[in-house]
Amino acid sequence: MGVIGTGAERARTLRQNTGSGSLRVEGMIPPQEASARRREIEDKLKQEEETLSFIRDSLEKSDQLTKNMVSILSSFESRLMKLENSIIPVHKQTENLQRLQENVEKTLSCLDHVISYYHVASDTEKIIREGPTGRLEEYLGSMAKIQKAVEYFQDNSPDSPELNKVKLLFERGKESLESEFRSLMTRHSKVVSPVLILDLISGEDELEVQEEMSLEHLPEGVLLDVVRISRWLVDYGHNQDFMNVYYQIRSSQLDRSIKGLKEHFRKSSSSSGVPYSPAIPNKRKDTPTKKPIKRPGTIRKAQNLLKQYSQHGLDGKKGGSNLIPLEGRDDMLDVETDAYIHCVSAFVKLAQSEYQLLTEIIPEHHQKKTFDSLIQDALDGLMLEGENIVSAARKAIVRHDFSAVLTVFPILRHLKQTKPEFDQVLQGTAASTKNKLPSLITSMETVGAKALEDFADNIKNDPDKEYNMPKDGTVHELTSNAILFLQQLLDFQETAGAMLASQETSSSATSYSSEFSKRLLSTYICKVLGNLQLNLLSKSKVYEDPALSAIFLHNNYNYILKALEKSELIQLVAVTQKTAERSYREHIEQQIQTYQRSWLKVTDYITEKNVPVFQPGVKLRDKERQMIKERFKGFNDGLEELCKIQKAWAIPDTEQRDKIRQAQKHIVKETYGAFLHRYGSVPFTKNPEKYIKYRVEQVGHMIDRLFDTSA
């Protein structure tokens, strides 16, 4: 059993090692197979034993190597510790020596630096004494050395005499820089020539010219020096006095430039009548450009219109107004007005240029204040002159000299047009500075509105003076003056409308809309024309002869209508009075009819209704012959009298004169012709030539010579 059991166990072991499934035959293993199996197992066992022996040998060698490595490392560690213990003290000693060396070097450097401060005064004294002129770079370098010496002694030796010495030298150097700043600004700040200013102004609408006409107030090199000095004085000198020096010098140049322009303008106007800018520098050396300045010429323009209407009677014939244009005074007013207008434009341009220069020299936080001070003299001069113009206008209103008041209109218009640029230039200045121009504009609007109001009242209340009435019934001076004044308003419609609107208290007036102002101006013109018409009616009563009164009114109404039609006044009037033109034509026709009634005392003698009918062939009685004689005599005397009187009257308008003559000639000739045809052959007298003095054609010729003093 033991053998069998042992065999069974071996069989199971064999199956496990070989991976065989099961014995092909249950029971005992064949002897050959068992022997082979045994040999195989034995071979494997031997092989495993060899492997185990190799592993054991390897482990022993490894252990030996480990022991050897541990021994080597232990020896190396021991040596490192010995080396460290030897090197560290040496390293520390070397480090200490290096630190000591650095300290010595720093100490020597500090000593050299300190010693140098004691030599600053002697090294820089000569440079400071000689000043910065011509060597600003070197001078500022010396000042930097002195400043550092001052700071050193203040921090380290405040009681040393060296501090006082370098302080004194620093102050002396700072004063020299301030003096150099003043000297540079004084020597190189030049008054801008009037010619250059006029070119600058006239180039406003020409971009190319405007770009070329930038002003160079200081040479480039001088400007660089001035900028460096100003920055040093602010950063290191802690000095602001140079800013006062700057604005005083530049303010004087600005003021003198504007005054020079004004004087040049007056001289040019008095000598040539038209100021001009001779040339733009460096543009065309061989072709100077004469630029006529745009002059308002308002008074002269209106006077020319008035002369055209009154002296030439609206048609080129002599006759008309008694107004004597004050040409010399008006020319003077135009010159003063133009000069002021151009000075205002010059101020804006020059102030803009001054601000650009100032921003390069003056520190940013001081620029606005300095600029405010710089422009004060020139601005105050302009404002004072403007107020003088306002004051003169007020005095002119008192004496009813309204043509002088009209100088305010172009100035006010220009001030309003320039105000946006003014506001931009004055941006950042004090409120008092900004308010100067608006205050002047308000004053001018007020005095202008006062002038308009007083003029309308003056037209209404002008007294009836017999010696001032035209003997020939032509246009009255009041009419021509009124038209002159209204004509001048045409060039300043917006300005005049704004003047009127500024006096309105209604909420709508605050908007100052263009349409509102235009309606106000239209209403005003209608008011003036209405006042004029009322006054003319009153004046016409001065004439004892109703016919002359009618001719007077006719001439004035016709003058007004033609003046309105020849200008834009009729369009302005039509804004609020649509039927004005028709109304004047009706008035003119009414006066013609009134005049024609003056001939009734002539034609009534010979009208058919006033003459009895005589039978042909029947002998006339004495009473009837006498009546015919009286008719002829009455007609002849009346005709002669009227022709003599009315020959001295005037109707300047050719068209109207011919129209009135033709109408009257037609009536008289027709009536006289009928009367002559009926009674010319009647034997009412032995001397018919005594009573039949005129043929029908002769009567027509006599009427054709009416209103003609030369006939």
Side-chain angles (χ1 to χ4, degrees):
M1 288 297 293
V3 175
I4 295 172
T6 301
E9 292 176 358
R10 290 179 177 177
R12 284 195 297 273
T13 301
L14 182 61
R15 284 198 300 269
Q16 293 174 355
N17 292 334
T18 60
S20 59
S22 60
L23 292 177
R24 287 174 294 185
V25 179
E26 290 186 357
M28 296 186 61
I29 300 173
Q32 296 85 354
E33 187 177 346
S35 176
R37 184 64 177 168
R38 188 180 302 113
R39 284 195 299 272
E40 183 181 353
I41 291 171
E42 288 175 353
D43 290 340
K44 287 186 178 181
L45 179 61
K46 183 178 179 180
Q47 187 177 2
E48 291 293 334
E49 287 176 351
E50 291 175 354
T51 300
L52 179 62
S53 175
F54 174 76
I55 291 172
R56 285 175 180 169
D57 292 341
S58 297
L59 287 174
E60 289 177 357
K61 290 179 180 179
S62 177
D63 289 341
Q64 186 62 41
L65 290 172
T66 298
K67 289 178 181 180
N68 292 339
M69 181 59 68
V70 170
S71 175
I72 292 170
L73 290 175
S74 297
S75 175
F76 183 72
E77 181 180 11
S78 175
R79 292 178 181 180
L80 280 177
M81 289 180 65
K82 289 179 181 180
L83 180 61
E84 182 179 0
N85 292 334
S86 300
I87 292 300
I88 286 177
V90 175
H91 174 72
K92 288 182 178 180
Q93 186 176 6
T94 303
E95 187 178 33
N96 290 334
L97 289 174
Q98 289 177 342
R99 189 179 296 110
L100 289 173
Q101 183 180 0
E102 291 175 359
N103 290 337
V104 169
E105 291 175 353
K106 288 181 179 179
T107 302
L108 291 174
S109 176
C110 288
L111 287 173
D112 291 339
H113 184 66
V114 170
I115 292 172
S116 68
Y117 289 132
Y118 286 86
H119 295 289
V120 166
S122 59
D123 292 342
T124 60
E125 185 175 6
K126 181 181 179 182
I127 297 175
I128 299 303
R129 185 175 62 251
E130 293 176 352
T133 304
R135 51 175 179 179
L136 182 62
E137 186 73 27
E138 181 183 6
Y139 193 89
L140 291 179
S142 297
M143 289 298 294
K145 293 178 181 178
I146 296 171
Q147 183 180 11
K148 290 180 180 179
V150 171
E151 293 172 353
Y152 171 78
F153 289 121
Q154 283 178 336
D155 294 338
N156 299 281
S157 184
D159 298 328
S160 65
E162 286 78 7
L163 175 60
N164 294 331
K165 190 173 183 180
V166 292
K167 267 189 174 182
L168 183 61
L169 196 59
F170 183 81
E171 291 300 322
R172 186 187 304 168
K174 185 169 70 172
E175 291 174 0
S176 295
L177 284 173
E178 294 172 1
S179 177
E180 179 70 6
F181 182 88
R182 179 188 293 272
S183 176
L184 289 174
M185 291 300 303
T186 303
R187 283 188 286 115
H188 297 283
S189 290
K190 305 297 182 183
V191 174
V192 182
S193 70
V195 170
L196 191 58
I197 296 175
L198 288 175
D199 280 335
L200 188 66
I201 297 173
S202 63
E204 289 179 354
D205 299 327
E206 301 175 20
L207 183 59
E208 180 182 353
V209 175
Q210 192 174 11
E211 290 176 351
E212 293 180 4
M213 287 307 301
S214 59
L215 296 177
E216 183 184 77
H217 294 288
L218 297 173
E220 185 176 357
V222 174
L223 178 60
L224 292 175
D225 287 348
V226 168
V227 170
R228 292 199 64 184
I229 293 174
S230 70
R231 289 178 180 174
W232 189 93
L233 290 173
V234 171
D235 296 339
Y236 304 108
H238 305 293
N239 177 282
Q240 297 181 7
D241 292 340
F242 77 95
M243 299 180 195
N244 296 331
V245 172
Y246 177 85
Y247 90 71
Q248 289 169 1
I249 294 174
R250 295 308 306 172
S251 175
S252 175
Q253 302 306 321
L254 175 61
D255 191 40
R256 289 168 59 193
S257 297
I258 294 177
K259 289 179 178 177
L261 172 64
K262 185 176 181 181
E263 187 63 26
H264 170 80
F265 202 97
R266 288 174 176 173
K267 289 180 179 179
S268 299
S269 298
S270 62
S271 61
S272 63
V274 180
Y276 65 87
S277 169
I280 298 176
N282 302 325
K283 187 177 182 182
R284 295 187 185 93
K285 295 182 179 179
D286 57 339
T287 309
T289 57
K290 294 188 177 182
K291 292 175 176 280
I293 298 300
K294 297 177 181 178
R295 303 179 60 194
T298 56
I299 298 172
R300 178 62 38 238
K301 176 180 178 182
Q303 286 283 14
N304 289 337
L305 285 171
L306 180 60
K307 289 165 69 178
Q308 175 188 353
Y309 291 158
S310 60
Q311 294 182 358
H312 299 289
L314 293 161
D315 63 355
K317 297 293 184 180
K318 186 177 179 181
S321 174
N322 296 324
L323 178 66
I324 301 175
L326 303 176
E327 297 183 4
R329 188 196 66 174
D330 291 335
D331 283 338
M332 182 62 67
L333 289 175
D334 273 349
V335 169
E336 294 295 330
T337 300
D338 294 348
Y340 185 75
I341 286 174
H342 286 86
C343 284
V344 170
S345 296
F347 171 81
V348 173
K349 293 298 180 183
L350 293 177
Q352 289 172 343
S353 182
E354 286 291 344
Y355 188 75
Q356 292 174 358
L357 176 66
L358 179 141
T359 55
E360 298 185 59
I361 299 174
I362 303 300
E364 183 176 359
H365 52 287
H366 294 286
Q367 290 173 1
K368 296 296 184 182
K369 182 178 179 181
T370 304
F371 181 70
D372 196 344
S373 301
L374 188 155
I375 63 174
Q376 283 304 314
D377 287 348
L379 181 59
D380 287 344
L382 285 176
M383 295 303 107
L384 178 59
E385 190 172 351
E387 289 297 338
N388 289 339
I389 292 172
V390 172
S391 178
R394 291 195 182 101
K395 294 177 182 178
I397 293 173
V398 172
R399 62 178 184 269
H400 303 300
D401 183 6
F402 296 102
S403 63
V405 178
L406 285 164
T407 58
V408 171
F409 284 71
I411 293 174
L412 178 58
R413 179 176 65 182
H414 186 72
L415 289 179
K416 284 189 170 185
Q417 291 172 345
T418 314
K419 187 175 182 298
E421 289 184 270
F422 244 101
D423 293 340
Q424 185 177 8
V425 169
L426 301 183
Q427 186 178 7
T429 58
S432 59
T433 302
K434 295 178 181 177
N435 291 333
K436 287 181 179 180
L437 180 64
S439 177
L440 178 59
I441 289 176
T442 300
S443 296
M444 288 193 171
E445 283 188 332
T446 301
V447 76
K450 175 66 173 172
L452 293 175
E453 178 184 353
D454 282 20
F455 179 77
D457 292 340
N458 186 64
I459 293 296
K460 181 179 181 180
N461 301 318
D462 184 66
D464 301 327
K465 298 179 181 178
E466 293 186 26
Y467 64 84
N468 197 34
M469 294 294 290
K471 303 300 183 182
D472 56 0
T474 189
V475 179
H476 195 277
E477 180 181 1
L478 180 68
T479 303
S480 55
N481 281 336
I483 293 300
L484 164 63
F485 189 85
L486 296 180
Q487 284 287 353
Q488 292 177 84
L489 293 184
L490 283 177
D491 289 332
F492 308 102
Q493 296 182 35
E494 293 185 6
T495 304
M499 286 178 177
L500 296 169
S502 68
Q503 305 304 306
E504 291 290 318
T505 57
S506 62
S507 58
S508 60
T510 58
S511 64
Y512 285 81
S513 68
S514 176
E515 185 62 27
F516 178 76
S517 298
K518 189 173 184 179
R519 291 189 65 83
L520 282 179
L521 183 58
S522 175
T523 301
Y524 172 78
I525 293 174
C526 291
K527 177 182 177 181
V528 171
L529 293 176
N531 290 349
L532 177 61
Q533 184 174 342
L534 291 175
N535 200 313
L536 290 173
L537 284 171
S538 176
K539 289 182 184 302
S540 68
K541 297 176 182 178
V542 172
Y543 296 109
E544 296 179 358
D545 191 335
L548 181 55
S549 177
I551 291 297
F552 171 76
L553 290 176
H554 165 273
N555 284 331
N556 282 271
Y557 291 156
N558 185 62
Y559 177 89
I560 294 170
L561 178 60
K562 290 297 179 68
L564 293 178
E565 290 177 336
K566 285 180 176 289
S567 66
E568 297 177 10
L569 281 174
I570 194 66
Q571 286 85 359
L572 266 179
V573 170
V575 172
T576 54
Q577 186 61 264
K578 304 293 185 183
T579 61
E581 185 176 356
R582 185 180 67 188
S583 177
Y584 272 110
R585 295 192 185 281
E586 291 174 355
H587 288 319
I588 292 169
E589 189 61 35
Q590 182 181 353
Q591 297 309 318
I592 292 176
Q593 294 174 6
T594 302
Y595 161 75
Q596 288 175 342
R597 284 197 289 271
S598 68
W599 283 82
L600 291 178
K601 63 182 179 181
V602 177
T603 57
D604 277 351
Y605 283 104
I606 57 175
T607 54
E608 188 174 334
K609 64 180 180 179
N610 293 328
V611 179
V613 178
F614 299 98
Q615 295 296 330
V618 178
K619 185 178 180 181
L620 297 177
R621 292 174 293 177
D622 292 341
K623 182 178 180 180
E624 293 173 336
R625 286 195 298 272
Q626 185 63 31
M627 182 186 66
I628 296 174
K629 292 178 182 179
E630 290 177 355
R631 300 295 181 184
F632 272 107
K633 186 177 185 303
F635 172 78
N636 293 334
D637 292 345
L639 176 65
E640 292 170 356
E641 180 184 3
L642 282 186
C643 287
K644 180 181 179 181
I645 294 174
Q646 296 183 9
K647 179 182 178 181
W649 296 355
I651 299 179
D653 188 336
T654 302
E655 181 182 350
Q656 287 292 314
R657 184 167 62 241
D658 291 343
K659 175 183 176 182
I660 293 174
R661 284 172 177 172
Q662 292 299 324
Q664 198 60 51
K665 184 167 64 173
H666 175 74
I667 295 172
V668 175
K669 285 178 65 177
E670 184 177 350
T671 306
Y672 181 65
F675 182 79
L676 190 61
H677 177 72
R678 176 173 296 182
Y679 299 104
S681 58
V682 174
F684 65 91
T685 179
K686 294 179 180 180
N687 300 309
E689 66 277 359
K690 177 180 178 181
Y691 298 98
I692 307 176
K693 297 174 64 174
Y694 303 105
R695 299 190 304 275
V696 175
E697 291 75 13
Q698 287 180 305
V699 171
H701 291 320
M702 293 175 68
I703 295 176
D704 282 336
R705 290 194 292 270
L706 297 178
F707 317 115
D708 188 355
T709 57
S710 63

